[in-house]
Amino acid sequence: MTPVSTALEPCPACGAALRSALVCESCGALLEPRTPPTPFETFGLEMSYPLDAAREQKRLLALSRALHPDFHATASAVRRQRAEDSTALLNAAHAVLADDVRRADWLVRALGGPREDEERTMPAGFLQEVLEWNEAIAEARSAAPGSPERAALAPLAERLRAERARELQDVRERLEPLPERGAPALRKARQALNALRYLDRVLAELGELDLDPR
Ligand SMILES: [Zn+2]
């Protein structure tokens, strides 16, 4: 495995070693990365699929503070703008890192794996189940509340949630440790992510049917 280097140059203002590509946490200098930092570089976390959520949250708070407009209130308009832009980058990176599916999607693409429009298939065996589930949902949709078809949705949602956990586990196994660039595991991970996207869509749909007062 080739670890992707997240080594950063020292802080140009104070020379301290940097953890985040956005801000020096020693002297508070706002940095101007030459290229947009990855979510992992933004947080100063090693690129990997498993994520220590508590650690990520701690980093988010520390970096949010360092970039907070109050700290830069007396700075030039350019610096204030930089703090704002960096805060937006930080929040966007957090949205990717904190979400198991989005983090996996990002890693697959970063490692040269297929995007979702390049690999549309779902894992073998999944499609047959999809057809079954779609049928059950269509029946429930046209059935009255309280009907057996509607009642069947609760156990169906249970099955889908169990399936979701399995697919997420599959993604984890494909991405831990991180595969080589372009490795076949990335295509497999994409297929599992496709299944996850389908499951999330259907689970959301089931939630709506449940709440439907008809
Ligand atoms: Zn510094």
Side-chain angles (χ1 to χ4, degrees), residues 105-141:
D105 170 72
W106 187 90
L107 284 167
V108 167
R109 282 183 290 120
L111 292 170
R115 296 188 311 260
E116 62 182 62
D117 60 332
E118 293 170 326
E119 173 61 51
R120 294 172 177 277
T121 62
M122 297 202 250
F126 192 79
L127 206 58
Q128 186 53 44
E129 290 190 285
V130 164
L131 295 176
E132 249 175 67
W133 296 332
N134 284 348
E135 198 177 329
I137 292 165
E139 278 172 11
R141 206 179 260 294

Coordinates of all heavy atoms in Angstrom, one line a residue, residues 105-141:
D105 N -17.2 7.1 -0.6 CA -17.3 7.6 -2.0 C -16.1 8.5 -2.3 O -15.5 8.3 -3.4 CB -18.6 8.4 -2.1 CG -18.7 9.2 -3.4 OD1 -18.9 8.5 -4.4 OD2 -18.5 10.4 -3.4
W106 N -15.7 9.3 -1.4 CA -14.6 10.2 -1.6 C -13.3 9.4 -1.8 O -12.5 9.6 -2.7 CB -14.4 11.2 -0.5 CG -13.4 12.2 -0.8 CD1 -13.5 13.4 -1.4 CD2 -12.0 12.1 -0.5 NE1 -12.3 14.1 -1.5 CE2 -11.3 13.3 -1.0 CE3 -11.2 11.1 0.1 CZ2 -10.0 13.5 -1.0 CZ3 -9.8 11.3 0.1 CH2 -9.2 12.5 -0.4
L107 N -13.1 8.4 -0.9 CA -11.9 7.6 -1.0 C -11.8 6.8 -2.3 O -10.7 6.7 -2.9 CB -11.8 6.7 0.2 CG -11.4 7.3 1.5 CD1 -11.7 6.4 2.7 CD2 -9.9 7.8 1.5
V108 N -12.9 6.3 -2.7 CA -12.9 5.5 -4.0 C -12.5 6.4 -5.1 O -11.7 6.0 -5.9 CB -14.4 4.9 -4.2 CG1 -14.5 4.3 -5.6 CG2 -14.6 3.8 -3.2
R109 N -13.0 7.6 -5.2 CA -12.7 8.5 -6.3 C -11.2 9.0 -6.1 O -10.5 9.0 -7.1 CB -13.6 9.7 -6.3 CG -15.0 9.3 -7.0 CD -15.9 10.5 -7.1 NE -16.4 10.9 -5.8 CZ -16.2 12.1 -5.3 NH1 -15.6 13.0 -6.0 NH2 -16.7 12.4 -4.1
A110 N -10.8 9.3 -4.9 CA -9.4 9.7 -4.7 C -8.4 8.7 -5.1 O -7.3 9.0 -5.5 CB -9.2 10.1 -3.2
L111 N -8.8 7.4 -5.0 CA -7.8 6.4 -5.3 C -8.0 5.9 -6.7 O -7.5 4.8 -7.1 CB -8.0 5.2 -4.3 CG -7.6 5.5 -2.9 CD1 -8.0 4.3 -2.0 CD2 -6.1 5.7 -2.8
G112 N -8.7 6.7 -7.5 CA -8.8 6.4 -9.0 C -9.9 5.3 -9.3 O -9.9 4.8 -10.4
G113 N -10.7 5.0 -8.3 CA -11.8 4.0 -8.6 C -12.9 4.7 -9.4 O -12.9 5.9 -9.6
P114 N -13.9 3.9 -9.8 CA -14.9 4.4 -10.7 C -15.9 5.3 -9.9 O -16.2 5.1 -8.7 CB -15.7 3.2 -11.2 CG -15.3 2.1 -10.2 CD -14.0 2.4 -9.6
R115 N -16.3 6.4 -10.6 CA -17.4 7.3 -10.0 C -18.7 6.5 -10.2 O -18.8 5.6 -10.9 CB -17.4 8.6 -10.8 CG -16.2 9.5 -10.7 CD -16.5 10.8 -11.4 NE -17.1 10.7 -12.7 CZ -16.4 10.8 -13.8 NH1 -15.2 11.0 -13.8 NH2 -17.1 10.6 -15.0
E116 N -19.7 7.1 -9.6 CA -21.0 6.4 -9.6 C -21.6 6.4 -11.0 O -22.3 5.5 -11.4 CB -22.0 6.9 -8.6 CG -22.4 8.3 -8.8 CD -23.3 8.8 -7.7 OE1 -22.9 8.8 -6.5 OE2 -24.5 9.2 -8.0
D117 N -21.2 7.3 -11.9 CA -21.7 7.3 -13.3 C -20.9 6.4 -14.2 O -21.2 6.2 -15.3 CB -21.8 8.7 -13.8 CG -20.5 9.4 -13.9 OD1 -19.6 9.1 -13.0 OD2 -20.3 10.3 -14.7
E118 N -19.8 5.9 -13.6 CA -18.9 5.0 -14.4 C -19.1 3.5 -14.0 O -18.8 2.6 -14.8 CB -17.4 5.4 -14.2 CG -17.0 6.7 -14.7 CD -15.7 7.1 -14.2 OE1 -15.3 6.8 -13.1 OE2 -15.0 7.8 -15.0
E119 N -19.7 3.3 -12.9 CA -19.9 1.9 -12.4 C -21.3 2.0 -11.8 O -21.5 2.4 -10.7 CB -18.9 1.5 -11.4 CG -19.1 0.1 -10.8 CD -19.2 -1.0 -11.8 OE1 -18.3 -1.1 -12.6 OE2 -20.2 -1.8 -11.8
R120 N -22.3 1.5 -12.5 CA -23.7 1.6 -12.1 C -24.2 0.3 -11.5 O -25.3 0.3 -11.0 CB -24.6 2.1 -13.2 CG -24.3 3.4 -13.8 CD -25.1 3.7 -15.0 NE -24.8 5.1 -15.5 CZ -25.5 6.1 -15.1 NH1 -26.4 6.0 -14.1 NH2 -25.2 7.3 -15.6
T121 N -23.5 -0.8 -11.6 CA -24.1 -2.0 -11.2 C -24.0 -2.1 -9.6 O -23.3 -1.4 -9.0 CB -23.3 -3.2 -11.8 OG1 -22.0 -3.2 -11.3 CG2 -23.3 -3.2 -13.3
M122 N -24.9 -3.0 -9.2 CA -24.9 -3.3 -7.7 C -24.4 -4.7 -7.5 O -24.2 -5.4 -8.5 CB -26.4 -3.2 -7.2 CG -26.9 -1.8 -7.4 SD -28.3 -1.4 -6.3 CE -29.6 -1.3 -7.5
P123 N -24.0 -5.1 -6.3 CA -23.4 -6.4 -6.1 C -24.3 -7.5 -6.6 O -25.6 -7.4 -6.6 CB -23.3 -6.5 -4.6 CG -23.3 -5.1 -4.1 CD -24.2 -4.3 -5.0
A124 N -23.7 -8.6 -7.1 CA -24.5 -9.7 -7.6 C -25.4 -10.2 -6.5 O -25.1 -10.2 -5.4 CB -23.5 -10.8 -8.0
G125 N -26.6 -10.6 -7.0 CA -27.6 -11.1 -6.0 C -28.5 -10.0 -5.4 O -29.6 -10.3 -5.0
F126 N -28.0 -8.8 -5.5 CA -28.8 -7.7 -4.9 C -30.0 -7.3 -5.8 O -31.0 -7.0 -5.2 CB -27.8 -6.5 -4.7 CG -28.4 -5.4 -3.9 CD1 -28.3 -5.5 -2.5 CD2 -28.9 -4.3 -4.4 CE1 -28.8 -4.6 -1.7 CE2 -29.4 -3.3 -3.6 CZ -29.4 -3.4 -2.2
L127 N -29.8 -7.4 -7.1 CA -30.8 -6.9 -8.0 C -32.1 -7.7 -7.9 O -33.2 -7.2 -7.9 CB -30.3 -7.0 -9.4 CG -30.9 -6.0 -10.4 CD1 -30.7 -4.6 -9.9 CD2 -30.4 -6.2 -11.8
Q128 N -32.0 -9.0 -7.7 CA -33.2 -9.9 -7.5 C -34.0 -9.4 -6.3 O -35.2 -9.2 -6.4 CB -32.8 -11.3 -7.3 CG -33.9 -12.3 -7.3 CD -34.9 -12.2 -8.5 OE1 -34.4 -12.1 -9.6 NE2 -36.2 -12.2 -8.3
E129 N -33.3 -9.0 -5.2 CA -34.0 -8.5 -4.0 C -34.6 -7.2 -4.3 O -35.7 -6.9 -3.8 CB -33.0 -8.4 -2.9 CG -32.5 -9.8 -2.4 CD -31.7 -9.7 -1.1 OE1 -30.6 -9.3 -1.2 OE2 -32.3 -10.0 0.0
V130 N -33.9 -6.4 -5.1 CA -34.4 -5.0 -5.4 C -35.8 -5.1 -6.0 O -36.7 -4.4 -5.7 CB -33.4 -4.3 -6.3 CG1 -34.1 -3.1 -6.9 CG2 -32.2 -3.8 -5.5
L131 N -35.9 -6.1 -7.0 CA -37.2 -6.3 -7.7 C -38.3 -6.6 -6.7 O -39.4 -6.1 -6.8 CB -37.0 -7.3 -8.8 CG -36.0 -7.0 -9.9 CD1 -35.9 -8.1 -10.9 CD2 -36.5 -5.7 -10.7
E132 N -37.9 -7.5 -5.8 CA -38.9 -8.0 -4.8 C -39.4 -6.8 -3.9 O -40.5 -6.6 -3.7 CB -38.2 -9.0 -3.9 CG -38.7 -10.4 -4.0 CD -37.8 -11.3 -3.1 OE1 -37.9 -11.1 -1.8 OE2 -37.0 -12.1 -3.6
W133 N -38.4 -6.0 -3.5 CA -38.7 -4.9 -2.6 C -39.5 -3.9 -3.3 O -40.5 -3.3 -2.8 CB -37.4 -4.3 -2.1 CG -36.6 -5.2 -1.3 CD1 -37.0 -6.2 -0.5 CD2 -35.1 -5.1 -1.1 NE1 -36.0 -6.8 0.1 CE2 -34.8 -6.2 -0.2 CE3 -34.1 -4.3 -1.6 CZ2 -33.5 -6.5 0.2 CZ3 -32.8 -4.6 -1.2 CH2 -32.5 -5.7 -0.3
N134 N -39.2 -3.6 -4.5 CA -39.9 -2.6 -5.3 C -41.4 -3.0 -5.5 O -42.3 -2.2 -5.4 CB -39.3 -2.4 -6.7 CG -38.0 -1.6 -6.6 OD1 -37.7 -1.0 -5.6 ND2 -37.3 -1.5 -7.7
E135 N -41.6 -4.3 -5.7 CA -42.9 -4.8 -5.8 C -43.7 -4.6 -4.5 O -44.9 -4.2 -4.5 CB -42.8 -6.3 -6.2 CG -44.1 -6.8 -6.8 CD -44.0 -8.3 -7.2 OE1 -42.8 -8.7 -7.6 OE2 -45.0 -9.0 -7.2
A136 N -43.1 -5.0 -3.4 CA -43.8 -4.9 -2.1 C -44.1 -3.4 -1.8 O -45.2 -3.1 -1.3 CB -42.9 -5.4 -1.0
I137 N -43.2 -2.5 -2.2 CA -43.5 -1.1 -1.9 C -44.6 -0.6 -2.8 O -45.5 0.2 -2.4 CB -42.2 -0.3 -2.2 CG1 -41.2 -0.6 -1.1 CG2 -42.5 1.2 -2.1 CD1 -39.8 -0.2 -1.4
A138 N -44.6 -1.0 -4.1 CA -45.7 -0.6 -5.0 C -47.0 -1.1 -4.5 O -48.0 -0.3 -4.6 CB -45.4 -1.1 -6.4
E139 N -47.1 -2.3 -4.0 CA -48.3 -2.8 -3.5 C -48.8 -2.0 -2.3 O -50.0 -1.7 -2.1 CB -48.2 -4.3 -3.1 CG -48.3 -5.2 -4.3 CD -47.9 -6.7 -3.9 OE1 -47.8 -7.0 -2.7 OE2 -47.8 -7.5 -4.8
A140 N -47.9 -1.7 -1.4 CA -48.2 -1.0 -0.2 C -48.7 0.4 -0.5 O -49.6 1.0 0.1 CB -47.0 -0.9 0.8
R141 N -48.1 1.0 -1.5 CA -48.4 2.3 -1.9 C -49.9 2.5 -2.4 O -50.6 3.4 -2.0 CB -47.5 2.8 -3.1 CG -47.3 4.2 -3.2 CD -46.4 4.5 -4.4 NE -45.0 4.8 -4.0 CZ -44.6 5.8 -3.3 NH1 -45.5 6.7 -2.8 NH2 -43.4 6.0 -3.0

